[in-house]
Amino acid sequence: MRPSLSAFLSGLIFALGLGLAGMTDPANVLGFLDITGDWDYRLASVMGGAIAVHAALRPLIQQRARPLFAARFPAFAASKPDAKLLVGSALFGVGWGLGGYCPGPALTALATGAVPLLVFVPAMFAGFYLAQVLQARSGQGAPRPGAPRVGAAPAP
């Protein structure tokens, strides 16, 4: 129960931050993406603030023997960019640019009941599902976070 509660509270804080920063408004996101026009710096400020908090707290967190709400820290395999990553990144960027929403802000802004979101969010989940189906058919499913890495030592 504690990991679920932790995830819920983290998501809630994230959603509140996005809402307070105005990042649930696609006009702000599209203004950030318009680098040749009237560029809006606010999204860069939000990202910079998140990076600063992470950079300050990561060394402290890594000093712990284990996370507060999990048995161990997840092990992620270092890998080089491949075609799947590049295509997925491009699709994400195109969807963000066309829709004006990133998945987190889209879910947060769904509470407004705006009709474009009532179309965008189901289409987003359909895309998630389609990606899983295509990965399963190709036999190249994405590794789950926390799954042991090939050649990694078992957790104590």
Side-chain angles (χ1 to χ4, degrees):
M1 177 64 174
R2 288 179 70 179
S4 296
L5 180 61
S6 173
F8 174 77
L9 291 176
S10 296
L12 182 62
I13 291 168
F14 179 68
L16 289 172
L18 289 173
L20 290 172
M23 293 302 114
T24 58
D25 182 356
N28 293 335
V29 175
L30 293 174
F32 170 75
L33 296 173
D34 185 11
I35 57 174
T36 61
D38 188 22
W39 186 67
D40 187 344
Y41 65 91
R42 292 179 290 177
L43 180 55
S45 299
V46 170
M47 288 189 288
I51 291 168
V53 169
H54 176 76
L57 295 179
R58 184 178 173 108
L60 297 173
I61 292 168
Q62 286 185 318
Q63 289 177 357
R64 299 183 55 86
R66 67 177 194 84
L68 292 175
F69 302 111
R72 61 185 171 90
F73 288 105
F76 297 103
S79 62
K80 295 180 181 178
D82 59 2
K84 188 167 65 169
L85 174 67
L86 297 175
V87 169
S89 299
L91 288 172
F92 177 86
V94 167
W96 188 13
L98 289 174
Y101 289 105
C102 179
L107 292 175
T108 301
L110 191 59
T112 67
V115 173
L117 284 163
L118 298 177
V119 173
F120 180 84
V121 171
M124 177 180 73
F125 279 104
F128 293 163
Y129 177 74
L130 179 60
Q132 287 182 339
V133 168
L134 292 174
Q135 283 183 347
R137 283 188 182 171
S138 71
Q140 297 179 351
R144 292 185 314 224
R149 291 183 294 184
V150 174

